[in-house]
């Protein structure tokens, strides 16, 4: 019974520290709007942490491993983040939408439409992934924004180097108002299509080690559970054993962090930023 009381006391202390840190964080106060005592997201987060701490305390009481008070909540909160799929930069759906939208603009310009009218006509056919940005671009152009400013704002909204390239091409075309822009957009669309294929292949290669990590982690947790219940890990119940077990678990978590960083690519730096003055 004393072990259970100690476990619950440790969980209560950890939860109290989390609540103090959460309450000490500054929240932006909007004038004229009532201040919420605690946002709903914070309530859910604290509830999840509390459940994890109670689970850790119960594990300590059942197994006698004090490290469970920290290890169980850490695993429950961090493993989903470390093992879930992650895609850096713009999604493939956005890139595919940019490619099809660029081809559509090329076709509209071929039949003699201007850039402004071509953009307005392309909203309905734009991919859902980029339709809001294209609609905002058409709205800005219809509101008599300078074409360069509207295209720069479009690039900022999509926030990808490929969108910068398309916007820069349209800006040059708007400044010169000459023939050949449709052909340039066609070639650019082909380049974007190649980039989509390359990124899809890269994402497939990155997904393999993440899948392997999920399988290995699941097997490791299952084996640890069986060994703990069977009493095979009883020698780790001493202070030195707890420190050694904590070191091994920290090394395993470090490997997962390294794997996630290794399989997370960096987005291509943008070159068209900010709205022109």
């Amino acid at each position: 019974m004393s072990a259970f009381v100690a476990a619950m006391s440790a969980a209560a202390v950890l939860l109290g520290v989390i609540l103090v840190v959460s309450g000490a964080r500054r929240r932006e106060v909007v004038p004229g709007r009532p201040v919420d005592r605690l946002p709903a997201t914070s309530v859910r987060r604290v509830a999840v942490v509390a459940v994890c701490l109670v689970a850790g305390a119960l594990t300590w009481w059942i197994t006698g491993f004090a490290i469970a008070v920290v290890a169980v909540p850490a695993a429950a909160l961090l493993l989903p983040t470390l093992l879930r799929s992650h895609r850096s930069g713009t999604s493939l759906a956005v890139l595919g939408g940019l490619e099809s939208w660029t081809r559509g603009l090329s076709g509209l310009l071929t039949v003699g439409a201007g850039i402004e009218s071509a953009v307005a006509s392309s909203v309905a056919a734009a991919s859902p992934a980029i339709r809001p940005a294209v609609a905002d671009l058409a709205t800005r152009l219809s509101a008599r924004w300078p074409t360069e400013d509207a295209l720069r704002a479009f690039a900022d909204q999509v926030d990808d180097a490929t969108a910068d390239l398309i916007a820069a091409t349209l800006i040059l075309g708007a400044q010169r108002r000459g023939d050949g822009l449709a052909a340039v957009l066609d070639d650019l669309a082909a380049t974007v299509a190649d980039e989509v294929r390359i990124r899809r292949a890269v994402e497939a290669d990155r997904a393999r080690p993440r899948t392997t990590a999920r399988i290995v982690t699941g097997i490791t947790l299952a084996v640890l559970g069986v060994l703990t219940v069977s009493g095979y890990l009883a020698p780790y119940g001493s202070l030195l054993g707890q420190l050694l077990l904590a070191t091994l678990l920290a090394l395993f978590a470090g490997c997962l962090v390294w794997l996630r960083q290794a399989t997370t690519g960096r987005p291509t730096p943008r070159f068209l930023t900010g709205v022109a003055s």
Side-chain angles (χ1 to χ4, degrees):
M1 188 65 181
S2 58
F4 177 73
V5 173
M8 296 304 295
S9 299
V13 170
L14 290 176
L15 181 59
V17 172
I18 294 173
L19 288 174
V20 169
V21 173
S22 177
R25 293 178 59 185
R26 298 178 59 184
R27 296 193 297 270
E28 183 180 358
V29 178
V30 180
R33 180 181 298 177
V35 180
D36 295 334
R37 294 184 177 181
L38 195 61
T41 53
S42 298
V43 173
R44 288 194 296 269
R45 188 179 299 113
V46 171
V48 171
V49 172
V51 171
C52 293
L53 289 175
V54 171
L58 290 175
T59 305
W60 179 14
W61 180 50
I62 294 172
T63 63
F65 289 168
I67 190 178
V69 178
V70 177
V72 171
L77 296 174
L78 297 181
L79 284 182
T81 301
L82 293 177
L83 297 178
R84 70 185 177 191
S85 299
H86 177 76
R87 292 184 177 180
S88 60
T90 306
S91 66
L92 294 176
V94 173
L95 285 177
L98 289 173
E99 184 262 337
S100 60
W101 180 65
T102 305
R103 289 191 187 278
L105 281 181
S106 174
L108 292 171
L109 292 173
T110 301
V111 299
I115 293 178
E116 293 78 7
S117 59
V119 169
S121 302
S122 67
V123 175
S127 169
I130 64 167
R131 187 174 299 158
V134 176
D136 291 343
L137 173 60
T139 301
R140 294 186 185 103
L141 291 174
S142 64
R144 303 297 182 180
W145 275 44
T147 303
E148 180 177 352
D149 290 355
L151 288 170
R152 284 179 176 270
F154 167 78
D156 286 340
Q157 189 170 354
V158 178
D159 193 21
D160 184 74
T162 303
D164 286 357
L165 184 59
I166 297 172
T169 302
L170 292 173
I171 289 173
L172 292 176
Q175 290 174 349
R176 298 181 180 181
R177 298 291 178 178
D179 297 332
L181 179 58
V184 173
L185 290 177
D186 248 345
D187 294 339
L188 185 57
T191 302
V192 176
D194 292 337
E195 184 177 359
V196 171
R197 285 193 293 270
I198 293 173
R199 290 201 187 186
R200 186 176 289 114
V202 170
E203 288 296 332
D205 289 338
R206 288 174 178 168
R208 294 191 186 98
R210 288 196 292 262
T211 302
T212 303
R214 295 190 193 100
I215 296 174
V216 171
T217 302
I219 294 175
T220 302
L221 293 177
V223 171
L224 282 176
V226 172
L227 293 179
T228 302
V229 173
S230 63
Y232 188 82
L233 297 181
Y236 287 95
S238 63
L239 177 59
L240 180 60
Q242 292 286 282
L243 293 176
L244 179 59
L245 185 59
T247 302
L248 294 176
L249 293 177
L251 289 175
F252 187 83
C255 291
L256 291 180
V257 172
W258 172 82
L259 179 64
R260 179 170 177 80
Q261 292 179 348
T263 57
T264 300
R266 297 181 179 179
T268 305
R270 294 185 54 205
F271 63 91
L272 192 68
T273 57
V275 179
S277 60

